[in-house]
């Protein structure tokens, strides 16, 4: 009888243990902390949802942020799921916690660590398994461990308890938002000696100083930084931890009025005194050399050919030619300066734009199409455009200056291969130095033409004018026709297929106007000009930028840029290749045709299961602009390669080769 009683008691204890273990799967507890899920009773089919772990801590105790600070450790979450894809852990903004002489970053009250759940198609339920580790501290610290699971059905409606939904929404409101929405813009981080790093922020209109928390706890001290106001900027002086590499950029969370934003700033080799001049001069030299090389680019040649034609045609003294070259240079440099200042003003105003932004406007592209069409017809001998309107192929003040302006507008999309680093730095260094970069770029573009005009030896080497000049003039019309075709394609990418129709209709109207002017004298000219003006007025509102869906979708294996898709791929350890491109970027199109979209390279990507993302920057896109800014770039092309398992990208050269892509998948040689 006693044996039966003992066995019955053992069974009861086992049942209680099993029952308790089952209940404990959705909750966990440790010394001074209790953990439970913040999750709905049912998920909604096909709809993402944010859930998380709710940590309740005893008064006086605290848990930690992703950067724990001087001591402590961030909680760890090892998550897996069936029926869903899980996003990375999201961290509400922290506070600074003083523990004797140390500064930690974390939460002195209850908090929640959240993440996104993306239900899979045709799944009937979602099952999540989580292994947790945490550290809860007061002065002493106590580690905790738990295994938790969550199983919920997928239904037509989402079902939350009111209490849990309110908690989830509260902590979701404390998650950092995208940096592009921040009222404070990160300009740069620069070393100050060997012990400090200075973060430069553009101040908002209210003049308040937000709290700033560095995400990289291996480089920045968690202690409160010194704050200095310098006009419209704020300088946050952080203590630098020894032994850590600077890298290329660093991320921060800025907090103001119970809202937070995640920002990224490039790390510049900029220090006080004489050492600070060297990097700036290197940037200026790179800008000048890049400007010189622009003369060889196909998008610049049609305009440059106009000035070369004028030199070959002769008829002016060396002094007049030198004066014309200076006016041409003035047009280039003034336009570069205007575009550069406009870009800086827009960036300071919080708008994420990049170099070449003028070709993101359909109206500007349409105007250039019309202008180059008229120039091409003039070169073909259809009518005399240069002598009466602007004299672009002759030697006079207005024509030389305007040719310089045109050269800059079509050169801007070609600056990426040579100017990516310098133009990216121009967005974060002091304004005066940024202006010098734009001026050096313009000086480099103008330098070859100045050199030819100023050198009697080079002038004498130019061929003498003759009957061949007419054939040369007609030949030089074809690069202009090619430019018109390219710009029509850009317009089609900006405004959809209807852009082609509008652009070609405008060219037809302009050609009709020329014919009327040639055959019906002054009345025909007036009617023709009226038709062109009317066509322009009708075209401008018609070619407004349409919704994103009107943009051409990436084909085949390429995906449109999507932050969620990127996060999922990186979370799963998949390799990712991002092509930051634009229709108006000639180098981008060459790389696509000759390398990226070739069968051999596509087969390499497919064999290695690479996620291909095409970030199309043809028109303004704040998400892509922000992504480029985080990479320290503001022009295209940019190629970001994430090897399998990596969270930070490797930036490839702007001029691609198939062998370079193949090398990404070659195993490094084994060390004997």
């Amino acid at each position: 009888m006693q044996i039966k009683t003992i066995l019955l008691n053992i069974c009861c204890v086992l049942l209680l243990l099993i029952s308790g273990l089952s209940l404990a799967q959705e909750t966990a507890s440790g010394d001074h902390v209790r953990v439970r899920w913040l999750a709905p009773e049912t998920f909604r089919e096909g709809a993402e949802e944010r859930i998380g772990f709710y940590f309740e801590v005893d008064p006086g105790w605290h848990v930690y942020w992703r950067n724990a600070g001087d001591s402590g450790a961030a909680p760890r979450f090892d998550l897996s799921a069936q029926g869903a894809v899980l996003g990375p852990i999201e961290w509400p903004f922290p506070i600074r916690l003083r523990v004797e002489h140390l500064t930690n970053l974390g939460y002195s009250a209850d908090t929640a660590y959240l993440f996104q759940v993306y239900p899979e198609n045709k799944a009937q339920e979602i099952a999540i398994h989580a292994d947790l580790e945490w550290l809860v501290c007061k002065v002493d610290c106590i580690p905790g461990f738990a295994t938790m699971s969550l199983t919920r059905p997928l239904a037509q409606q989402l079902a939350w308890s009111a209490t849990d939904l309110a908690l989830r929404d509260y902590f979701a409101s404390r998650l950092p938002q995208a940096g592009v929405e921040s009222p404070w813009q990160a300009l740069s981080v620069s070393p100050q000696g060997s012990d400090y790093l200075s973060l430069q922020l553009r101040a908002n209109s209210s003049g308040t100083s937000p709290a700033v928390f560095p995400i990289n706890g291996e480089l920045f001290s968690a202690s409160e930084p010194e704050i200095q106001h310098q006009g419209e900027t704020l300088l946050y002086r952080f203590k630098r931890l020894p032994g850590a590499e600077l890298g290329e950029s660093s991320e921060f969370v800025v907090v103001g009025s119970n809202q937070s934003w995640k920002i990224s700033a490039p790390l510049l080799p900029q220090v006080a005194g004489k050492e600070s001049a060297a990097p700036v001069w290197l940037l200026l030299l790179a800008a000048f050399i890049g400007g010189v090389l622009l003369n060889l680019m196909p998008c610049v040649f049609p305009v440059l050919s106009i000035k070369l034609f004028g030199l070959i045609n002769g008829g002016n003294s060396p002094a007049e030619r030198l004066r014309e070259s200076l006016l041409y240079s003035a047009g280039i440099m003034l336009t570069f300066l205007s575009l550069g200042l406009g870009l800086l003003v827009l960036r300071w105003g919080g708008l994420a734009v990049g170099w070449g932004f003028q070709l993101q406007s359909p109206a500007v592209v349409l105007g250039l199409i019309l202008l180059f069409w008229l120039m091409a017809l003039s070169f073909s001998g259809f009518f005399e455009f240069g002598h009466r309107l602007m004299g672009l192929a002759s030697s006079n003040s207005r024509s030389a200056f305007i040719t310089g302006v045109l050269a800059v507008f079509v050169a801007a999309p070609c600056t990426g291969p040579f100017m990516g680093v310098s133009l990216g730095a121009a967005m974060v260094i002091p304004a005066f130095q940024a202006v010098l970069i734009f001026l050096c770029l313009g000086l480099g573009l103008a330098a070859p033409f100045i050199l030819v005009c100023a050198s009697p030896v080079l002038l004498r080497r130019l061929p003498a004018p003759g009957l061949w000049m007419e054939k040369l003039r007609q030949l030089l019309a074809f690069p202009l026709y090619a430019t018109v075709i390219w710009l029509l394609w850009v317009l089609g990418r900006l405004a959809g297929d209807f852009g082609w129709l509008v652009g070609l209709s405008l060219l037809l109207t302009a050609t009709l106007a020329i014919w009327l002017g040639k055959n019906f004298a002054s009345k025909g000219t007036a009617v023709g000009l009226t038709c062109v003006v009317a066509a322009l007025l009708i075209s401008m509102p018609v070619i407004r930028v349409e919704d994103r869906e009107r943009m051409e979708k990436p084909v085949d294996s390429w995906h449109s840029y999507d932050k969620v898709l990127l996060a999922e791929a990186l979370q799963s350890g998949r390799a990712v290749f991002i092509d930051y491109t634009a229709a108006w970027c000639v180098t981008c199109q060459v790389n696509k045709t000759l390398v990226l979209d070739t069968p051999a390279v596509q087969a390499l990507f497919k064999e290695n299961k690479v996620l291909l993302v095409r970030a199309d920057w043809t028109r303004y896109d704040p998400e892509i602009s922000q992504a480029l800014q985080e990479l320290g770039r503001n022009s295209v092309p940019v190629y970001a390669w994430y090897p399998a398992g990596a969270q930070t990208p490797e930036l490839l050269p702007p001029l691609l080769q198939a062998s370079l892509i193949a090398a990404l998948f070659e195993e490094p040689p084994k060390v004997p």
Side-chain angles (χ1 to χ4, degrees):
M1 188 71 179
Q2 290 180 348
I3 295 175
K4 290 183 178 180
T5 302
I6 292 172
L7 291 174
L8 182 61
N9 288 335
I10 291 174
C11 290
C12 290
V13 170
L14 289 174
L15 287 173
L16 288 172
L17 287 174
I18 293 172
S19 177
L21 182 61
S22 177
L23 291 173
Q25 287 181 340
E26 290 198 7
T27 62
S29 63
D31 293 330
H32 306 288
V33 66
R34 293 154 301 283
V35 186
R36 67 180 179 87
W37 290 96
L38 285 181
E41 295 301 321
T42 60
F43 288 92
R44 186 159 65 91
E45 295 176 352
E48 65 184 68
E49 186 65 19
R50 178 177 278 123
I51 68 172
F53 301 95
Y54 182 47
F55 278 63
E56 299 175 274
V57 296
D58 289 346
W61 293 78
H62 59 266
V63 289
Y64 292 95
W65 188 49
R66 59 188 302 180
N67 170 15
D70 294 338
S71 64
R76 298 177 60 185
F77 306 89
D78 186 4
L79 304 177
S80 60
Q82 294 181 348
V85 175
L86 306 181
I89 292 294
E90 301 171 318
W91 308 77
F93 67 79
I95 61 172
R96 285 185 166 86
L97 303 165
R98 293 288 298 174
V99 181
E100 296 183 350
H101 64 286
L102 301 176
T103 301
N104 294 330
L105 302 178
Y107 313 98
S108 61
D110 300 346
T111 192
Y113 302 94
L114 307 177
F115 59 93
Q116 292 278 13
V117 177
Y118 306 93
E120 295 178 346
N121 293 332
K122 299 182 180 180
Q124 296 182 351
E125 68 174 15
I126 294 175
I128 303 175
H129 178 86
D131 291 322
L132 279 65
E133 299 179 25
W134 66 81
L135 197 64
V136 59
C137 300
K138 189 173 185 179
V139 176
D140 298 331
C141 292
I142 303 174
F145 307 88
T147 296
M148 299 174 62
S149 63
L150 179 76
T151 301
R152 294 288 189 270
L154 283 162
Q156 296 293 326
Q157 297 295 328
L158 181 69
W160 276 88
S161 75
T163 301
D164 284 359
L165 181 59
L167 283 171
R168 194 286 308 268
D169 289 346
Y170 170 75
F171 289 107
S173 70
R174 299 174 71 85
L175 296 176
Q177 303 172 47
V180 69
E181 302 171 0
S182 171
W184 295 277
Q185 182 185 2
L187 301 179
S188 66
V189 175
S190 56
Q192 293 187 343
S194 59
D195 298 327
Y196 292 93
L197 289 161
S198 181
L199 167 67
Q200 186 179 23
L201 291 183
R202 180 187 57 82
N204 68 355
S205 57
S206 66
T208 58
S209 302
V212 178
F213 302 95
I215 292 178
N216 186 350
E218 296 181 355
L219 180 59
F220 296 87
S221 169
S223 59
E224 190 80 37
E226 300 176 8
I227 304 177
Q228 298 178 1
H229 289 259
Q230 293 187 357
E232 296 181 352
T233 61
L234 296 168
L235 292 180
Y236 287 74
R237 193 166 178 257
F238 290 90
K239 289 183 180 179
R240 177 180 176 180
L241 300 180
E245 296 183 0
L246 286 179
E248 296 184 353
S249 64
S250 194
E251 295 179 323
F252 303 84
V253 169
V254 296
V255 182
S257 302
N258 288 323
Q259 287 184 291
S260 62
W261 299 267
K262 183 180 177 182
I263 60 174
S264 177
L267 281 155
L268 301 179
Q270 184 178 359
V271 295
K274 296 180 181 179
E275 296 177 357
S276 64
V280 175
W281 283 112
L282 287 176
L283 291 173
L284 296 179
L285 179 61
F288 178 81
I289 295 174
V292 173
L293 294 176
L294 282 179
N295 288 280
L296 304 177
M297 297 300 290
C299 50
V300 181
F301 181 72
V303 174
L304 183 62
S305 65
I306 298 172
K307 298 313 301 173
L308 294 175
F309 182 76
L311 286 180
I312 294 173
N313 195 40
N316 292 320
S317 66
E320 291 173 333
R321 286 180 172 174
L322 178 60
R323 178 174 176 271
E324 182 182 0
S325 70
L326 294 177
L327 288 169
Y328 170 70
S329 304
I332 288 176
M333 298 185 70
L334 182 61
T335 309
F336 262 119
L337 180 62
S338 300
L339 289 175
L341 289 176
L343 179 59
L344 291 174
V345 169
L346 291 174
R347 302 282 292 207
W348 290 334
L351 188 62
V353 296
W355 187 250
F357 66 95
Q358 72 277 10
L359 289 180
Q360 293 176 336
S361 166
V364 172
V365 174
L366 189 65
L368 289 175
I369 287 172
L370 178 60
L371 182 59
F372 278 102
W373 179 251
L374 295 176
M375 290 163 54
L377 291 179
S378 175
F379 270 42
S380 295
F382 190 64
F383 82 119
E384 292 297 333
F385 174 59
H387 292 299
R388 291 195 175 184
L389 296 181
M390 297 185 337
L392 287 174
S394 64
S395 299
N396 62 65
S397 301
R398 289 181 299 168
S399 66
F401 183 85
I402 293 173
T403 309
V405 173
L406 289 175
V408 175
F409 267 83
V410 295
C414 298
T415 55
F418 314 112
M419 296 301 303
V421 176
S422 295
L423 289 174
M427 297 300 101
V428 295
I429 63 178
F432 175 72
Q433 296 174 354
V435 168
L436 290 179
I437 285 181
F438 292 119
L439 290 177
C440 283
L441 182 57
L443 185 60
L445 179 60
F449 190 74
I450 296 177
L451 183 62
V452 171
C453 290
S455 172
V457 175
L458 293 177
L459 281 173
R460 285 195 296 269
R461 289 183 177 273
L462 293 177
L467 295 177
W468 60 273
M469 291 296 296
E470 181 62 26
K471 293 183 179 180
L472 176 61
R473 180 172 119 154
Q474 294 175 5
L475 177 64
L476 290 177
F478 290 97
L480 298 174
Y481 288 124
T483 303
V484 170
I485 295 172
W486 167 59
L487 289 172
L488 281 169
W489 180 69
V490 173
L491 185 64
R493 294 293 303 275
L494 286 170
D497 294 337
F498 197 61
W500 282 87
L501 178 61
V502 172
L504 291 172
S505 298
L506 180 62
L507 298 186
L508 176 62
T509 304
T511 308
L512 174 62
I514 295 170
W515 181 81
L516 291 173
K518 289 180 65 175
N519 290 277
F520 298 97
S522 59
K523 291 183 179 180
T525 301
V527 172
L529 289 176
T530 301
C531 292
V532 172
V533 171
L536 281 172
L537 293 176
I538 295 172
S539 300
M540 293 304 177
V542 169
I543 60 165
R544 66 187 183 278
V545 178
E546 301 294 342
D547 294 337
R548 189 183 183 95
E549 288 73 16
R550 289 291 304 276
M551 295 291 292
E552 181 179 333
K553 300 290 185 182
V555 295
D556 299 329
S557 54
W558 292 95
H559 297 77
S560 298
Y561 182 79
D562 186 336
K563 292 193 295 186
V564 173
L565 179 66
L566 177 60
E568 291 177 7
L570 297 181
Q571 180 73 13
S572 64
R574 186 178 179 184
V576 180
F577 185 95
I578 305 181
D579 172 18
Y580 292 92
T581 183
W584 36 261
C585 169
V586 175
T587 307
C588 302
Q589 307 311 319
V590 172
N591 284 336
K592 286 180 191 178
T593 303
L594 300 183
V595 181
L596 292 178
D597 290 343
T598 59
V601 170
Q602 285 293 308
L604 271 175
F605 284 137
K606 184 176 181 180
E607 179 184 350
N608 291 276
K609 299 180 180 179
V610 178
L611 174 66
L612 300 178
V613 178
R614 185 151 278 164
D616 194 336
W617 207 38
T618 299
R619 64 169 228 186
Y620 173 66
D621 187 312
E623 287 190 2
I624 296 176
S625 299
Q626 178 66 21
L628 285 170
Q629 182 180 350
E630 292 173 355
L631 295 174
R633 299 289 187 269
N634 77 326
S635 60
V636 288
V638 172
Y639 303 103
W641 163 244
Y642 295 81
Q647 297 296 314
T648 56
E650 172 189 349
L651 297 185
L652 303 183
L655 298 176
L656 297 180
Q657 294 180 350
S659 59
L660 176 65
I661 302 299
L664 299 177
F665 308 104
E666 294 177 356
E667 295 185 3
K670 296 182 179 180
V671 179

